Amino acid sequence: MDLFIPEQVNLYDEMRKMAKRHPNSVIIEDLSGTLTYEKFLLAVNVLSRKIKVMTSHETRVGLYLPNVTGTVIALFALFKNEQDPCILNFSMGAETIVDCLETASLRTVITSREFIKVANLYSVVDEMEKIVRVIYLEDLRDQLTLGQKLGGLAESKLPISKKRKQGHVILFTSGTETKPKGVMLTHRNIYANIKQAVSTVDLTEKDRIFNPLPLFHSFGLTVGAVLPFITNIKSFLYPSPLHYKEIPKMIGQDKSTIFVATNTFFKNYAKFASREDLKTLRIVVAGAEKLTKDVKDLYEREFGVTLLQGYGTTETSPIVSLNTPTHHKEGSVGKLIPLMEYKLEKIEGIDHGGVLLLKGPNVMKGYLIHGKGFVPCGEWYNTGDIADVDEDGYLYIISRLKRFAKIAGEMISLNKLEEMALACYQQSGFYAVSIPDPKKGEKIILFTTHSDLSDKPLRKYIKEQKVSSLYIPSKIEPIDEVPILGSGKVNYCELEVRAKALFS
């Protein structure tokens, strides 16, 4: 596809171009109110001056903030200053946050007093302050000088005086297996992904995005916080995806047309949503984890909403493939977006598909590794996902490579076991993990949110499907609630810890 992505991009410059074309368009909203392009640009220009004074000679600055307009203002202020925002995941514990600070060699973190108070994050801030300076948005605003305000106002009125150099945004992996890695995305990576997405999905300036995903989530960053300013599509920022009761009502009030969440979140929103709440939704995408058939069917039956599955990774800014209202295939995560190339590497013991490798303008520059510094990505990014592509170009994610158990020398897909449990019991809520076993190498524990389930139906179903008996779990263990990461994915690492505790 003939899609041009310039080599050098600064996202502040791209936002400013649109602000000059549409000064009076309402472009962003949160629970405190709305801002037009003109007011947003002014706020960015004023705040950037104060941040520059406070963080002179610092290339990277940490952001530890919730999903509100002030966070996006700070983000673009750093873009304007040619500084790299490092967006910290506030759902991480204090020890992991400190690892992130060290990984990015940060000296300053910007947060909010109100946020720390409401979220009760004082203990995390105490640990941060041992190695970095913590400054508060409220103080930055209160300490603005008349000169900074007038300078920002004048700058907003004047023509663009210079072309800024391209910068980076740094997001962090969860760090559940090792210390978190910093994913270094260039402005061009993010800009390219926006252009790729817009060329795939039929978006218009009349659309309205509802975004409850925090900016440390790559989709929340790219689609919820940057895409609106590049495309003149309004975004509503909601502070938490966990407010299951409130979010459907807010979608209805905003008359949102675009909404993205995870399968787990969609399942919980459905408990409180009505058809009236969701009637304006036009494009609804499920990502980050597999969309289950029961959740997809529920939305079509109860709300008249078609959930379209997509696929992405933080390292790809994040979108890789999308089903669309006009081009979709059941069970797939859609076709690769334009300008992306792929190849599959065969894995011993796995018959179909292979490890998915990707190349494209949206693929990260590289990683920041704790204690090592920057490590470039190389020509191909290895996703670690087992995938296959059909004759029509639709991509299917079979499993994460680490979501396989090796039992008696055979590779057993934990995702496949979950799917068989869903088919057997006709309800979702099954989560498989593997733990070491002295006899067979590993064994499978199947957690479920349903109590008093017998394993006999599942044993019978597995035999009827003529698959290996090694898929039969060693134990089905009920849990009251599935643990969830801040990204909306199931926290399988926590489930592994619980599984090991059952046999300790």
Side-chain angles (χ1 to χ4, degrees), residues 17 74 119 131 134 140 152 188 238 247 271 273 309 311 342 377 383 394 396 412 417-419 457 478 492 504:
K17 288 178 194 173
I131 60 171
V134 176
L140 292 177
R188 183 177 189 263
Y238 191 83
I247 283 174
K271 297 173 184 176
Q309 194 164 4
Y311 169 71
Y342 80 94
C377 178
T383 66
Y394 284 90
Y396 296 79
I412 301 298
L417 173 57
E418 292 175 353
E419 290 169 7
Y492 282 106
S504 62

Side-chain angles (χ1 to χ4, degrees), residues 158-357:
L158 294 172
I160 297 176
S161 57
K162 71 167 188 172
K163 186 174 177 63
R164 288 165 179 78
K165 70 179 182 181
Q166 177 165 256
H168 310 89
V169 179
I170 297 165
L171 304 176
F172 295 90
T173 63
S174 60
T176 49
E177 297 167 6
T178 58
K179 290 184 184 295
K181 293 179 287 189
V183 178
M184 185 176 283
L185 302 173
T186 68
H187 286 216
R188 183 177 189 263
N189 291 152
I190 295 169
Y191 180 84
N193 204 227
I194 290 168
K195 292 298 183 180
Q196 290 165 305
V198 170
S199 71
T200 303
V201 182
D202 180 26
L203 302 180
T204 76
E205 293 182 355
K206 293 181 180 179
D207 279 310
R208 302 165 72 89
I209 300 169
F210 189 89
N211 177 44
L213 298 175
L215 269 63
F216 63 71
H217 190 295
S218 54
F219 201 99
L221 169 71
T222 296
V223 176
V226 179
L227 181 148
F229 294 96
I230 307 300
T231 60
N232 189 27
I233 297 175
K234 175 184 167 292
S235 179
F236 188 106
L237 301 181
Y238 191 83
S240 171
L242 300 175
H243 295 175
Y244 304 132
K245 189 175 182 179
E246 293 82 2
I247 283 174
K249 292 181 174 57
M250 292 303 302
I251 290 172
Q253 290 178 27
D254 182 62
K255 295 181 172 57
S256 306
T257 61
I258 299 170
F259 182 44
V260 176
T262 68
N263 185 81
T264 302
F265 287 155
F266 278 123
K267 187 174 182 179
N268 286 307
Y269 298 144
K271 297 173 184 176
F272 303 99
S274 69
R275 184 174 281 257
E276 183 69 16
D277 291 332
L278 308 182
K279 70 178 183 180
T280 57
L281 289 176
R282 191 173 70 83
I283 299 171
V284 188
V285 180
E289 59 182 359
K290 185 176 179 60
L291 173 63
T292 59
K293 188 176 186 303
D294 63 330
V295 173
K296 186 176 188 300
D297 291 347
L298 174 64
Y299 271 76
E300 289 180 357
R301 183 179 66 251
E302 298 296 327
F303 311 122
V305 170
T306 300
L307 299 186
L308 300 167
Q309 194 164 4
Y311 169 71
T313 71
T314 301
E315 291 85 349
T316 55
S317 306
I319 303 169
V320 172
S321 64
L322 283 172
N323 280 293
T324 71
T326 53
H327 295 85
H328 54 271
K329 189 175 282 192
E330 187 80 21
S332 81
V333 292
K335 294 184 177 182
L336 291 178
I337 56 177
L339 304 182
M340 290 221 76
E341 299 176 53
Y342 80 94
K343 60 182 180 180
L344 300 175
E345 282 192 351
K346 295 299 292 182
I347 295 291
E348 184 180 354
I350 297 175
D351 296 331
H352 301 289
V355 178
L356 178 65
L357 276 65

Side-chain angles (χ1 to χ4, degrees), residues 64 92 137 200-201 208 216 244 259 349 402 431 452 459:
Y64 190 67
M92 289 177 171
L137 273 181
T200 303
V201 182
R208 302 165 72 89
F216 63 71
Y244 304 132
F259 182 44
K402 62 186 177 183
Y431 311 93
D452 301 324
R459 287 174 175 271

Side-chain angles (χ1 to χ4, degrees), residues 48-59:
S48 67
R49 289 169 172 260
K50 187 65 180 179
I51 290 176
K52 195 164 190 177
V53 169
M54 298 290 287
T55 61
S56 58
H57 310 299
E58 294 181 38
T59 304

Side-chain angles (χ1 to χ4, degrees), residues 113-131:
R113 293 187 190 280
E114 181 64 18
F115 170 56
I116 299 303
K117 177 183 176 182
V118 171
N120 191 21
L121 293 168
Y122 294 108
S123 61
V124 179
V125 172
D126 288 344
E127 291 303 312
M128 284 198 289
E129 286 184 322
K130 293 177 182 178
I131 60 171

